[in-house]
Amino acid sequence: TATLGAGCYWGTEKFLRRHKFETGKVVDVRVGRQRRTQVVVFMVVGFAGGTTESPTYEDVCTGTTGHVEVARVTFTCDYGELLRFFFTFHDPTTRDRQGNDRGTQYASVIFVENDVQQRVAEETVRDLRAKLPTTFQGTDVVTEVRDATTFYPAHEAHQRYLEKNPGGYCNHRAYLSTFPTS
């Protein structure tokens, strides 16, 4: 499981649900071609990282709970691949802000559950920092890597929000087509 904060959780969820990962390649025997498969098998949006128990969306929006809007993802791909994709659809150089959304709840953060996730997350941040493209607003990666905390799901109306409200606000976009490698 991965818990990722990339600004408003509506856009984070939208991008993670849409993406098909390279390691999910399988052969489609009907057409003899490779196709990508969805590797996000379950996702819930909610809150993590704060001190308030069972916060509501309204509580988190006050900026006093310490919670970040996150997507909690069960996935079947390589964790590093998931993190590299995570950095393509939000700006990891703006502290507590994505587009017009400002506040501590919009932080770029990776909540890690074990030593392996910690190592991979730190390596991925370090790799991005070393190859930071100019498509981002800032000049340094401010994404935090933190120990996982209790996850609190958002209420049902916020789950799959942009699917239910296709014209809903989303400030996420593809900053990068792929994670920088050189």
Side-chain angles (χ1 to χ4, degrees):
T1 302
T3 304
L4 306 171
C8 177
Y9 52 35
W10 298 341
T12 304
E13 178 184 43
K14 172 184 154 183
F15 272 81
L16 287 169
R17 283 195 190 282
R18 283 192 335 196
H19 189 66
K20 310 252 189 254
F21 292 83
E22 289 294 332
T23 53
K25 283 184 180 175
V26 297
V27 175
D28 185 342
V29 294
R30 292 170 293 151
V31 294
R33 296 185 204 163
Q34 287 188 336
R35 63 180 167 89
R36 294 177 185 179
T37 58
Q38 187 66 40
V39 298
V40 171
V41 294
F42 185 73
M43 185 172 351
V44 178
V45 298
F47 315 103
T51 55
T52 302
E53 289 187 29
S54 303
T56 64
Y57 178 74
E58 291 75 18
D59 293 337
V60 173
C61 286
T62 67
T64 61
T65 66
H67 285 289
V68 177
E69 290 188 21
V70 296
R72 186 167 176 83
V73 183
T74 302
F75 58 96
T76 61
C77 68
D78 174 74
Y79 183 66
E81 185 178 8
L82 179 67
L83 294 185
R84 288 187 296 277
F85 176 68
F86 163 76
F87 284 115
T88 68
F89 66 83
H90 80 288
D91 187 342
T93 69
T94 55
R95 186 171 307 284
D96 300 334
R97 184 174 138 224
Q98 291 297 314
N100 294 327
D101 292 335
R102 299 174 196 279
T104 55
Q105 71 269 31
Y106 300 119
S108 175
V109 61
I110 301 165
F111 289 98
V112 296
E113 298 185 3
N114 56 49
D115 291 342
V116 172
Q117 285 190 354
Q118 176 88 26
R119 181 184 51 75
V120 172
E122 289 173 353
E123 286 173 2
T124 306
V125 169
R126 189 172 40 253
D127 288 350
L128 180 61
R129 187 172 279 134
K131 302 166 193 152
L132 191 66
T134 58
T135 54
F136 297 122
Q137 188 172 6
T139 58
D140 191 22
V141 176
V142 297
T143 302
E144 295 180 60
V145 177
R146 296 192 214 165
D147 289 335
T149 63
T150 302
F151 170 80
Y152 298 98
H155 55 87
E156 184 55 37
H158 281 214
Q159 306 299 330
R160 295 181 176 255
Y161 181 84
L162 292 173
E163 289 178 22
K164 298 172 191 172
N165 302 280
Y169 172 72
C170 178
N171 63 34
H172 289 75
R173 65 181 175 89
Y175 284 88
L176 305 170
S177 57
T178 60
F179 190 84
T181 57
S182 56

